[in-house]
Amino acid sequence: MTAAVTAQSRPVKVRLSPSRASIGSGARTIAGFAVVAAAWEFIARVILGGTNLIAPPTGVVAASIENWDLYQRAVRITAWSAIRGFFWGNLVAIALASLVAVAPSVERVLLRLSLAVFCLPLVAMGPILRVVWGVGEGPQVTMAALAVFYTTLVPVLVGFRAVPQSWTDLIHSYGRGRFRVLATIRARASIPYLFAGLQVAAPAAFLGALVGEFTGADRGMGILTINSMRALKTDELWAVASISALVSMAAYVGVGAIGKRLSVGRPSLLMAPGSSGRAMSTSRRIARTAVEATITLAIIVVIWAGLMNFFDLDSYFAKRPSDVWRYMVSGPSASANRSEILESLSDTAQVVIPGYLLGLLLGAAAASIFDLFAAVRRTLTPIAVALRCVPIIAIAPLLVQAFGRGVAGMTITVAIMTFFPTLVACAHGLRQTPGQVLDFYAVYDTSRVRTLLSGQIPAMAPAFFAAARMAVPATILAATVAEWLATGSGIGNLMAIAAVSSRYETLWACVVIVTAIASISYGAVAVVERLVLSRVAPEQMQW
């Protein structure tokens, strides 16, 4: 009787029809954009009027209309390079992930090689690829492919692992091998993660194509960005950045719509058993890591020298490993060369480290707030996605202008560029909470905050750490782009000067050092990830 009375006393929730709910959500989104546009116009016209820091929306629209023929031609050129790079980069990513799933023994070395490629600084690789490819769209397509393949590889691997152990045991009990497990179970389980990676890769491909155009192309959105920035045409610069953001956002939303249509629903609850064997000792783990790192380094050196010799590239600009070694270690000016690079790295580290940590923290916190408050999520998520899609190459100079060229301003710039990818990834991770977990908390009428803290955040951990790992080279890219284009300091500025003045040994040395630091930092994040996921998501620790 008491239960019946209690049930009857509960308020009845009125559910809106899907069409009315969609209209309401669209209205909130439009209202959110209207508020942002009004605030943007007020700040540009009243607070910062006459400073040429921010172009008002009306000025952006006027510049877009005035130069529309030029802009639409540039968009087509850049987008075509981005599409080709997107295709090839993601094809390689899926192929490598499938290889790892079928042959797990190659995972660690293969991922180290892939990581080294992903950590290559785009601002330095652009001039090198331009010299190698010459005139044409080769550098743009290559840069787009380099920008996307690892952002897809990592989520796909996470998705391949996100299957109940009992499912793989069932397939193995019928005498089937890893390839059948991949084709029948892992491929289906990876679909949400694949499209999460493809969503991130779509804007990244456009960014890669833009960076490629910065290095000597004669047309495209990258060239328009440089020309507007050098001519101090604020309205045109913001127009190019806004159009680039809209194109990237359209690709992001389009890929997301396809992924939603192919969605297989909420994932099943994963009950991964503990390891049946003895844990590897610390000394053996360190020895294995050292051996794998040595093998990876040897492979990189062989490939590097082999490609240079195979294509018979001029040693004046195509430096070999021995050239970099002589420049940094054994040459007569090695000490001065190291000092120059280390001093520049010190300037960059002062903004990269705090900006990276701040961006991760704020991104995870914002995703949690969005999950708790549906109205906030529906209103601000489209804005966050739009800002996530703004190419770093287009917005970095604007952020530097707005926040200044000092350490504080650069730290904020780096944090902003880390914040939005983390927010999107964490929001996706929260949505991957198994339905059984949510049902369990609902049965006991658990509060939303308690459900979030004890149920959803552990489920978000794989997505958060995937974002944290991929944010390492992305953060370095944001800092070096800002230094390259606007600040006149740091390792990004040194690479720009080296490229312009044909100091190719300096440029190649910077590439090696930045890649090594990014790889080591990435590995440090992976160690923390492994410690955390071994407790909250043990299925990620095994195939």
Side-chain angles (χ1 to χ4, degrees):
M1 184 69 176
T2 302
V5 171
T6 303
Q8 292 176 359
S9 64
R10 290 177 180 171
V12 178
K13 294 183 179 180
V14 179
R15 293 184 179 273
L16 297 176
S17 65
S19 60
R20 292 184 62 188
S22 177
I23 293 173
S25 177
R28 281 188 292 269
T29 300
I30 294 173
F33 275 104
V35 170
V36 171
W40 178 2
E41 184 80 19
F42 177 78
I43 292 172
R45 294 286 186 187
V46 179
I47 299 179
L48 298 176
T51 62
N52 290 324
L53 293 179
I54 298 178
T58 51
V60 172
V61 172
S64 300
I65 294 174
E66 181 181 354
N67 301 290
W68 178 245
D69 289 340
L70 175 63
Y71 290 165
Q72 57 92 12
R73 288 197 302 271
V75 166
R76 287 203 304 266
I77 292 168
T78 304
W80 177 233
S81 297
I83 289 170
R84 286 178 287 170
F86 181 83
F87 172 79
W88 289 111
N90 286 308
L91 182 64
V92 172
I94 296 172
L96 290 178
S98 301
L99 176 62
V100 169
V102 174
S105 59
V106 306
E107 176 184 8
R108 295 175 67 89
V109 172
L110 191 148
L111 288 184
R112 288 176 186 274
L113 289 171
S114 302
L115 173 62
V117 175
F118 179 62
C119 290
L120 291 170
L122 294 183
V123 294
M125 290 303 299
I128 293 173
L129 290 173
R130 177 62 59 186
V131 173
V132 172
W133 282 100
V135 179
E137 298 180 349
Q140 293 92 297
V141 176
T142 304
M143 296 285 278
L146 290 175
V148 306
F149 98 97
Y150 204 80
T151 61
T152 300
L153 175 63
V154 171
V156 170
L157 285 175
V158 172
F160 279 168
R161 294 189 180 100
V163 298
Q165 184 70 30
S166 58
W167 292 7
T168 59
D169 291 342
L170 177 63
I171 298 296
H172 291 315
S173 68
Y174 284 92
R176 305 300 183 183
R178 290 194 177 99
F179 184 81
R180 180 56 62 88
V181 172
L182 171 66
T184 58
I185 297 178
R186 299 196 190 279
R188 178 181 174 85
S190 70
I191 289 176
Y193 300 88
L194 168 64
F195 278 93
L198 293 178
Q199 276 192 291
V200 176
F206 200 79
L207 166 64
L210 280 173
V211 176
E213 290 171 349
F214 266 50
T215 60
D218 56 358
R219 53 185 182 170
M221 294 298 284
I223 297 302
L224 295 182
T225 301
I226 291 178
N227 293 340
S228 300
M229 185 172 58
R230 289 176 176 172
L232 299 179
K233 296 181 178 180
T234 306
D235 288 352
E236 285 81 353
L237 179 60
W238 279 79
V240 172
S242 299
I243 292 172
S244 298
L246 289 174
V247 172
S248 297
M249 186 170 63
Y252 182 96
V253 173
V255 172
I258 297 173
K260 188 174 294 186
R261 180 170 290 274
L262 298 177
S263 174
V264 293
R266 281 194 174 272
S268 300
L269 180 63
L270 303 181
M271 302 295 290
S275 177
S276 58
R278 291 191 308 174
M280 183 180 296
S281 64
T282 302
S283 59
R284 289 190 61 189
R285 186 178 294 110
I286 293 175
R288 186 183 67 175
T289 301
V291 171
E292 291 171 348
T294 302
I295 294 174
T296 303
L297 180 60
I299 293 174
I300 291 174
V301 170
V302 170
I303 293 176
W304 177 1
L307 288 176
M308 297 296 157
N309 295 327
F310 178 79
F311 290 104
D312 194 25
L313 299 177
D314 191 341
S315 60
Y316 174 72
F317 61 83
K319 300 301 179 182
R320 275 63 172 175
S322 58
D323 297 323
V324 175
W325 178 265
R326 183 167 52 253
Y327 180 84
M328 291 291 297
V329 179
S330 62
S333 303
S335 178
N337 297 335
R338 289 196 303 270
S339 298
E340 181 184 29
I341 293 177
L342 292 177
E343 183 179 352
S344 299
L345 282 174
S346 176
D347 294 338
T348 303
Q350 293 179 36
V351 300
V352 166
I353 296 174
Y356 170 78
L357 296 176
L358 182 62
L360 286 180
L361 178 62
L362 293 179
S368 300
I369 293 173
F370 279 19
D371 189 80
L372 288 175
F373 303 101
V376 175
R377 180 179 68 250
R378 287 191 293 265
T379 302
L380 297 183
T381 294
I383 299 173
V385 170
L387 294 174
R388 162 66 184 89
C389 294
V390 177
I392 295 175
I393 204 79
I395 197 175
L398 307 179
L399 293 175
V400 171
Q401 285 183 344
F403 296 108
R405 301 171 184 266
V407 174
M410 283 290 294
T411 299
I412 294 174
T413 299
V414 172
I416 289 174
M417 302 315 299
T418 306
F419 167 79
F420 291 107
T422 304
L423 168 60
V424 173
C426 289
H428 169 77
L430 290 173
R431 291 195 299 269
Q432 294 304 303
T433 306
Q436 297 96 321
V437 172
L438 297 178
D439 292 342
F440 174 81
Y441 284 103
V443 166
Y444 288 94
D445 200 21
T446 308
S447 68
R448 289 287 297 113
V449 174
R450 181 66 179 274
T451 302
L452 174 70
L453 294 176
S454 58
Q456 291 181 271
I457 287 182
M460 182 191 77
F464 171 78
F465 279 106
R469 283 186 279 121
M470 288 187 289
V472 170
T475 301
I476 295 175
L477 172 62
T480 52
V481 166
E483 292 168 345
W484 179 29
L485 295 177
T487 67
S489 63
I491 195 69
N493 180 66
L494 178 60
M495 288 189 288
I497 293 174
V500 172
S501 58
S502 299
R503 295 170 53 191
Y504 290 110
E505 287 184 331
T506 302
L507 183 61
W508 280 88
C510 288
V511 169
V512 172
I513 296 298
V514 172
T515 302
I517 291 175
S519 301
I520 293 171
S521 302
Y522 185 103
V525 175
V527 170
V528 178
E529 175 187 27
R530 191 169 187 85
L531 292 175
V532 175
L533 295 190
S534 63
R535 293 180 175 274
V536 302
E539 77 281 353
Q540 294 292 329
M541 299 295 100
Q542 56 189 352
W543 278 106

